[in-house]
Amino acid sequence: MIRLENLSLGYADRPLLKQVSATFAVGQLTALIGRNGSGKSTLLRTIAGLDDSTIAGGSIRIAGTPQTEIAPHELSKSIAFVTTERVRIANLRCRDVVALGRAPYTNWIGRMQEEDRRICDYALEAVGMAAFADRTMDRMSDGECQRVMIARALAQETPIMLLDEPTSFLDLPNRYELGRLLQRLAHEERKCILFSTHELDIARSLCDAIALVDNPHLHHLPIDEMQRSGHIERCFNLA
């Protein structure tokens, strides 16, 4: 679903990745890990098409098509991106936030149809937030808000979901609960989900694969192979 082909990524004074290749498949949950400042967020934003100025070479393919050949409106039907930002806007209801995910499909004035409302209700139900639909975002916990943002991404109905450190600001039980939610969405909803995290224990216990940014390399392996490779220990000086 996502294919990096000899991708080089970085800035003029700071290269991040050099000629890396990897494939992220449908139905798999992949954790993107690496040291602080290694470029995890940059890679996610680049895949999402939010910043192509960092590409120094190679290409990104989405379902076989070069990302640069996909119009932004069409790309928004393929990729949903959840940032680390916490939404705390007074009087903004959860259902209104989730409805933003329908923007690629609504008519030119953004009017919701019955099918759009049904999809939004389903998205809230899928993340366990149906009972909070009319609650405003400023009256919710960080974990609840993060679930609503994932519901917005689900309402976007994309085969790919990218999340930048979704477990940030959460306590340990909520981190695992969110991780299990992403695992279920990948396996049951057949999503290709790639999320950055510093939680090695969650990555090892809940994910199908790990992509390790070890500048300028990207090691992408199934969990068992990554465990045996020693890449994580060398990158984080755990050996």
Side-chain angles (χ1 to χ4, degrees):
M1 181 56 67
I2 303 172
R3 174 67 183 167
L4 311 182
E5 296 184 338
N6 297 314
L7 182 68
S8 294
L9 202 66
Y11 305 93
D13 60 341
R14 187 163 66 96
L16 297 171
L17 297 174
K18 184 177 181 180
Q19 295 183 335
V20 303
S21 295
T23 299
F24 304 100
V26 168
Q28 287 201 335
L29 177 63
T30 302
L32 180 64
I33 66 173
R35 287 179 170 274
N36 287 335
S38 61
K40 299 184 297 297
S41 296
T42 299
L43 178 58
L44 288 175
R45 289 181 63 82
T46 303
I47 293 173
L50 299 176
D51 186 2
D52 60 4
S53 65
T54 58
I55 298 179
S59 65
I60 300 170
R61 288 182 175 268
I62 306 297
T65 302
Q67 182 216 63
T68 53
E69 297 180 9
I70 305 175
H73 180 73
E74 291 303 316
L75 193 61
S76 68
K77 295 180 181 179
S78 295
I79 301 176
F81 184 51
V82 180
T83 71
T84 56
E85 297 175 5
R86 289 181 283 182
V87 177
R88 285 290 187 274
I89 303 175
N91 301 320
L92 184 64
R93 300 178 304 169
C94 293
R95 68 167 70 251
D96 297 328
V97 174
V98 175
L100 294 174
R102 298 304 299 161
Y105 308 96
T106 53
N107 58 30
W108 65 277
I109 58 174
R111 181 172 295 166
M112 295 270 286
Q113 305 298 320
E114 189 58 37
E115 178 65 6
D116 297 306
R117 296 187 184 93
R118 185 195 66 77
I119 291 169
C120 290
D121 289 342
Y122 165 76
L124 282 166
E125 181 70 33
V127 301
M129 295 298 292
F132 294 75
D134 291 311
R135 184 177 295 188
T136 56
M137 295 290 284
D138 58 324
R139 295 174 52 222
M140 298 171 60
S141 70
D142 290 336
E144 290 166 345
C145 285
Q146 194 66 288
R147 282 178 173 269
V148 171
M149 298 310 293
I150 293 173
R152 178 198 59 75
L154 274 179
Q156 201 170 328
E157 287 196 307
T158 60
I160 298 170
M161 291 177 62
L162 307 176
L163 304 96
D164 193 7
E165 298 194 28
T167 57
S168 294
F169 315 116
L170 303 182
D171 58 21
L172 189 59
N174 277 312
R175 291 175 191 174
Y176 270 93
E177 189 175 356
L178 185 57
R180 283 192 290 268
L181 169 62
L182 295 178
Q183 183 187 58
R184 179 172 61 80
L185 293 175
H187 294 170
E188 296 180 10
E189 301 283 338
R190 300 298 295 166
K191 303 282 188 182
C192 171
I193 302 181
L194 176 62
F195 73 103
S196 62
T197 183
H198 291 286
E199 312 293 338
L200 291 179
D201 51 345
I202 291 177
R204 285 168 159 161
S205 62
L206 297 177
C207 294
D208 301 294
I210 289 178
L212 170 64
V213 179
D214 185 10
N215 310 109
H217 309 291
L218 179 70
H219 306 291
H220 177 224
L221 295 168
I223 289 294
D224 290 344
E225 291 183 35
M226 183 63 79
Q227 298 275 48
R228 296 192 298 268
S229 71
H231 290 316
I232 294 176
E233 289 76 12
R234 285 191 293 271
C235 180
F236 293 97
N237 295 322
L238 299 177

Short mmCIF file of all heavy atoms in Angstrom, two decimals, residues 11-51:
data_model
loop_
_atom_site.label_atom_id
_atom_site.label_comp_id
_atom_site.label_asym_id
_atom_site.label_seq_id
_atom_site.Cartn_x
_atom_site.Cartn_y
_atom_site.Cartn_z
N TYR A 11 17.19 17.65 5.14
CA TYR A 11 17.32 19.07 4.89
C TYR A 11 18.72 19.35 4.38
O TYR A 11 19.60 18.49 4.45
CB TYR A 11 17.04 19.84 6.18
CG TYR A 11 15.69 19.50 6.79
CD1 TYR A 11 15.58 18.49 7.75
CD2 TYR A 11 14.53 20.16 6.38
CE1 TYR A 11 14.35 18.16 8.30
CE2 TYR A 11 13.30 19.83 6.92
CZ TYR A 11 13.21 18.83 7.87
OH TYR A 11 11.99 18.49 8.41
N ALA A 12 18.94 20.56 3.90
CA ALA A 12 20.23 20.91 3.29
C ALA A 12 21.38 20.65 4.24
O ALA A 12 22.45 20.17 3.84
CB ALA A 12 20.21 22.37 2.85
N ASP A 13 21.18 20.95 5.50
CA ASP A 13 22.26 20.81 6.48
C ASP A 13 22.12 19.56 7.34
O ASP A 13 22.94 19.32 8.23
CB ASP A 13 22.32 22.04 7.39
CG ASP A 13 21.02 22.25 8.16
OD1 ASP A 13 19.99 21.71 7.73
OD2 ASP A 13 21.05 22.96 9.18
N ARG A 14 21.06 18.75 7.09
CA ARG A 14 20.85 17.59 7.95
C ARG A 14 20.13 16.48 7.19
O ARG A 14 18.91 16.39 7.18
CB ARG A 14 20.03 17.99 9.18
CG ARG A 14 19.90 16.87 10.23
CD ARG A 14 19.46 17.45 11.56
NE ARG A 14 18.13 17.98 11.49
CZ ARG A 14 17.02 17.30 11.86
NH1 ARG A 14 17.13 16.06 12.29
NH2 ARG A 14 15.84 17.87 11.80
N PRO A 15 20.88 15.59 6.53
CA PRO A 15 20.24 14.44 5.88
C PRO A 15 19.70 13.48 6.93
O PRO A 15 20.30 13.29 7.99
CB PRO A 15 21.39 13.82 5.08
CG PRO A 15 22.64 14.26 5.78
CD PRO A 15 22.34 15.61 6.35
N LEU A 16 18.57 12.87 6.63
CA LEU A 16 17.92 11.97 7.59
C LEU A 16 17.95 10.52 7.11
O LEU A 16 18.34 9.62 7.86
CB LEU A 16 16.47 12.41 7.83
CG LEU A 16 16.29 13.78 8.47
CD1 LEU A 16 14.82 14.18 8.46
CD2 LEU A 16 16.84 13.80 9.88
N LEU A 17 17.50 10.29 5.89
CA LEU A 17 17.47 8.95 5.32
C LEU A 17 18.15 8.97 3.96
O LEU A 17 18.05 9.95 3.21
CB LEU A 17 16.02 8.46 5.15
CG LEU A 17 15.20 8.29 6.43
CD1 LEU A 17 13.76 7.95 6.09
CD2 LEU A 17 15.80 7.23 7.33
N LYS A 18 18.84 7.88 3.63
CA LYS A 18 19.55 7.82 2.35
C LYS A 18 19.21 6.53 1.63
O LYS A 18 19.51 5.44 2.09
CB LYS A 18 21.06 7.91 2.58
CG LYS A 18 21.87 7.94 1.29
CD LYS A 18 23.36 8.12 1.56
CE LYS A 18 24.16 8.17 0.25
NZ LYS A 18 25.60 8.33 0.51
N GLN A 19 18.52 6.67 0.50
CA GLN A 19 18.18 5.57 -0.40
C GLN A 19 17.60 4.36 0.35
O GLN A 19 18.10 3.25 0.24
CB GLN A 19 19.42 5.15 -1.20
CG GLN A 19 19.91 6.24 -2.15
CD GLN A 19 21.08 5.81 -3.00
OE1 GLN A 19 21.84 4.91 -2.65
NE2 GLN A 19 21.25 6.44 -4.15
N VAL A 20 16.52 4.62 1.09
CA VAL A 20 15.87 3.54 1.83
C VAL A 20 14.65 3.03 1.05
O VAL A 20 14.00 3.79 0.33
CB VAL A 20 15.43 3.99 3.24
CG1 VAL A 20 16.64 4.51 4.01
CG2 VAL A 20 14.35 5.05 3.17
N SER A 21 14.38 1.75 1.19
CA SER A 21 13.22 1.14 0.55
C SER A 21 12.46 0.32 1.58
O SER A 21 13.07 -0.35 2.43
CB SER A 21 13.65 0.25 -0.62
OG SER A 21 14.25 1.02 -1.65
N ALA A 22 11.14 0.39 1.52
CA ALA A 22 10.30 -0.37 2.45
C ALA A 22 8.88 -0.41 1.90
O ALA A 22 8.46 0.48 1.16
CB ALA A 22 10.31 0.25 3.84
N THR A 23 8.15 -1.46 2.30
CA THR A 23 6.74 -1.58 1.90
C THR A 23 5.90 -1.79 3.16
O THR A 23 6.21 -2.66 3.98
CB THR A 23 6.53 -2.77 0.95
OG1 THR A 23 7.30 -2.56 -0.24
CG2 THR A 23 5.06 -2.90 0.57
N PHE A 24 4.85 -0.99 3.30
CA PHE A 24 3.93 -1.09 4.42
C PHE A 24 2.60 -1.60 3.87
O PHE A 24 1.96 -0.94 3.05
CB PHE A 24 3.78 0.26 5.12
CG PHE A 24 5.08 0.84 5.58
CD1 PHE A 24 5.72 1.82 4.84
CD2 PHE A 24 5.70 0.37 6.74
CE1 PHE A 24 6.94 2.35 5.25
CE2 PHE A 24 6.91 0.89 7.15
CZ PHE A 24 7.54 1.87 6.41
N ALA A 25 2.18 -2.76 4.34
CA ALA A 25 1.07 -3.48 3.71
C ALA A 25 -0.27 -3.21 4.40
O ALA A 25 -0.34 -2.80 5.56
CB ALA A 25 1.36 -4.98 3.72
N VAL A 26 -1.33 -3.50 3.66
CA VAL A 26 -2.69 -3.44 4.19
C VAL A 26 -2.86 -4.49 5.27
O VAL A 26 -2.31 -5.59 5.18
CB VAL A 26 -3.71 -3.67 3.05
CG1 VAL A 26 -5.10 -3.90 3.60
CG2 VAL A 26 -3.71 -2.49 2.09
N GLY A 27 -3.60 -4.16 6.31
CA GLY A 27 -3.89 -5.11 7.37
C GLY A 27 -2.78 -5.26 8.39
O GLY A 27 -2.81 -6.18 9.20
N GLN A 28 -1.80 -4.35 8.37
CA GLN A 28 -0.68 -4.43 9.30
C GLN A 28 -0.54 -3.15 10.11
O GLN A 28 -0.74 -2.04 9.59
CB GLN A 28 0.63 -4.70 8.57
CG GLN A 28 0.75 -6.12 8.04
CD GLN A 28 2.20 -6.51 7.80
OE1 GLN A 28 3.05 -5.66 7.58
NE2 GLN A 28 2.48 -7.80 7.84
N LEU A 29 -0.18 -3.31 11.37
CA LEU A 29 0.13 -2.21 12.27
C LEU A 29 1.64 -2.14 12.43
O LEU A 29 2.27 -3.12 12.87
CB LEU A 29 -0.54 -2.43 13.63
CG LEU A 29 -0.25 -1.38 14.70
CD1 LEU A 29 -0.79 -0.01 14.29
CD2 LEU A 29 -0.85 -1.81 16.05
N THR A 30 2.22 -1.02 12.04
CA THR A 30 3.67 -0.85 12.08
C THR A 30 4.04 0.32 12.97
O THR A 30 3.49 1.42 12.82
CB THR A 30 4.25 -0.61 10.67
OG1 THR A 30 3.90 -1.69 9.82
CG2 THR A 30 5.77 -0.49 10.72
N ALA A 31 4.96 0.09 13.89
CA ALA A 31 5.46 1.15 14.76
C ALA A 31 6.71 1.75 14.14
O ALA A 31 7.62 1.03 13.72
CB ALA A 31 5.78 0.60 16.14
N LEU A 32 6.74 3.07 14.08
CA LEU A 32 7.91 3.80 13.59
C LEU A 32 8.66 4.32 14.79
O LEU A 32 8.15 5.16 15.54
CB LEU A 32 7.46 4.95 12.68
CG LEU A 32 8.54 5.83 12.07
CD1 LEU A 32 9.43 5.03 11.12
CD2 LEU A 32 7.91 7.02 11.34
N ILE A 33 9.86 3.81 15.02
CA ILE A 33 10.63 4.19 16.20
C ILE A 33 11.98 4.76 15.79
O ILE A 33 12.41 4.63 14.65
CB ILE A 33 10.81 3.00 17.16
CG1 ILE A 33 11.69 1.92 16.53
CG2 ILE A 33 9.46 2.42 17.57
CD1 ILE A 33 12.04 0.78 17.49
N GLY A 34 12.65 5.39 16.75
CA GLY A 34 13.96 5.98 16.50
C GLY A 34 14.26 7.01 17.57
O GLY A 34 13.38 7.41 18.35
N ARG A 35 15.48 7.47 17.59
CA ARG A 35 15.89 8.47 18.57
C ARG A 35 15.16 9.79 18.31
O ARG A 35 14.67 10.05 17.22
CB ARG A 35 17.40 8.71 18.51
CG ARG A 35 18.24 7.58 19.09
CD ARG A 35 19.72 7.90 18.96
NE ARG A 35 20.55 6.96 19.70
CZ ARG A 35 20.85 7.06 20.99
NH1 ARG A 35 20.39 8.10 21.68
NH2 ARG A 35 21.61 6.17 21.59
N ASN A 36 15.11 10.65 19.33
CA ASN A 36 14.55 11.99 19.16
C ASN A 36 15.32 12.72 18.05
O ASN A 36 16.54 12.68 18.02
CB ASN A 36 14.66 12.79 20.45
CG ASN A 36 13.67 12.32 21.50
OD1 ASN A 36 12.63 11.75 21.18
ND2 ASN A 36 13.98 12.55 22.77
N GLY A 37 14.58 13.37 17.17
CA GLY A 37 15.22 14.14 16.11
C GLY A 37 15.69 13.31 14.94
O GLY A 37 16.34 13.83 14.03
N SER A 38 15.33 12.03 14.92
CA SER A 38 15.81 11.16 13.83
C SER A 38 15.01 11.34 12.54
O SER A 38 15.44 10.90 11.48
CB SER A 38 15.76 9.69 14.28
OG SER A 38 14.44 9.30 14.59
N GLY A 39 13.84 11.98 12.64
CA GLY A 39 13.06 12.25 11.43
C GLY A 39 11.78 11.46 11.30
O GLY A 39 11.21 11.37 10.22
N LYS A 40 11.29 10.90 12.40
CA LYS A 40 10.05 10.11 12.34
C LYS A 40 8.87 10.97 11.87
O LYS A 40 8.12 10.58 10.97
CB LYS A 40 9.75 9.49 13.71
CG LYS A 40 10.82 8.54 14.23
CD LYS A 40 10.43 7.89 15.52
CE LYS A 40 10.24 8.86 16.67
NZ LYS A 40 11.50 9.58 17.03
N SER A 41 8.70 12.13 12.49
CA SER A 41 7.59 13.01 12.11
C SER A 41 7.76 13.51 10.69
O SER A 41 6.78 13.62 9.93
CB SER A 41 7.51 14.20 13.08
OG SER A 41 7.19 13.77 14.39
N THR A 42 8.99 13.80 10.31
CA THR A 42 9.26 14.26 8.95
C THR A 42 8.87 13.21 7.93
O THR A 42 8.25 13.50 6.91
CB THR A 42 10.74 14.62 8.78
OG1 THR A 42 11.08 15.68 9.69
CG2 THR A 42 11.04 15.08 7.36
N LEU A 43 9.20 11.95 8.22
CA LEU A 43 8.85 10.86 7.30
C LEU A 43 7.34 10.72 7.18
O LEU A 43 6.81 10.58 6.07
CB LEU A 43 9.47 9.55 7.79
CG LEU A 43 9.15 8.30 6.97
CD1 LEU A 43 9.57 8.47 5.51
CD2 LEU A 43 9.81 7.06 7.58
N LEU A 44 6.63 10.77 8.30
CA LEU A 44 5.18 10.64 8.26
C LEU A 44 4.54 11.78 7.47
O LEU A 44 3.65 11.55 6.65
CB LEU A 44 4.61 10.62 9.69
CG LEU A 44 4.87 9.35 10.51
CD1 LEU A 44 4.36 9.54 11.93
CD2 LEU A 44 4.20 8.14 9.87
N ARG A 45 4.99 12.99 7.71
CA ARG A 45 4.42 14.15 7.01
C ARG A 45 4.73 14.08 5.51
O ARG A 45 3.91 14.47 4.68
CB ARG A 45 4.97 15.45 7.60
CG ARG A 45 4.45 15.76 8.99
CD ARG A 45 5.01 17.09 9.51
NE ARG A 45 4.58 18.19 8.67
CZ ARG A 45 3.40 18.81 8.77
NH1 ARG A 45 2.53 18.42 9.69
NH2 ARG A 45 3.08 19.80 7.96
N THR A 46 5.89 13.55 5.18
CA THR A 46 6.26 13.43 3.77
C THR A 46 5.40 12.39 3.08
O THR A 46 4.91 12.60 1.96
CB THR A 46 7.75 13.07 3.63
OG1 THR A 46 8.54 14.08 4.29
CG2 THR A 46 8.16 13.03 2.17
N ILE A 47 5.19 11.25 3.74
CA ILE A 47 4.31 10.21 3.17
C ILE A 47 2.89 10.76 2.99
O ILE A 47 2.22 10.47 2.00
CB ILE A 47 4.29 8.96 4.07
CG1 ILE A 47 5.67 8.28 4.07
CG2 ILE A 47 3.22 7.97 3.60
CD1 ILE A 47 5.78 7.14 5.07
N ALA A 48 2.45 11.57 3.95
CA ALA A 48 1.10 12.13 3.89
C ALA A 48 0.95 13.21 2.83
O ALA A 48 -0.16 13.67 2.56
CB ALA A 48 0.72 12.70 5.25
N GLY A 49 2.08 13.63 2.23
CA GLY A 49 2.03 14.65 1.20
C GLY A 49 1.95 16.06 1.75
O GLY A 49 1.58 17.00 1.03
N LEU A 50 2.30 16.23 3.02
CA LEU A 50 2.22 17.55 3.65
C LEU A 50 3.50 18.36 3.47
O LEU A 50 3.50 19.57 3.72
CB LEU A 50 1.91 17.40 5.15
CG LEU A 50 0.58 16.70 5.46
CD1 LEU A 50 0.42 16.53 6.95
CD2 LEU A 50 -0.59 17.49 4.88
N ASP A 51 4.59 17.70 3.07
CA ASP A 51 5.85 18.42 2.90
C ASP A 51 6.75 17.61 1.97
O ASP A 51 7.33 16.61 2.37
CB ASP A 51 6.54 18.63 4.25
CG ASP A 51 7.79 19.51 4.14
OD1 ASP A 51 8.09 19.98 3.03
OD2 ASP A 51 8.45 19.72 5.17
#
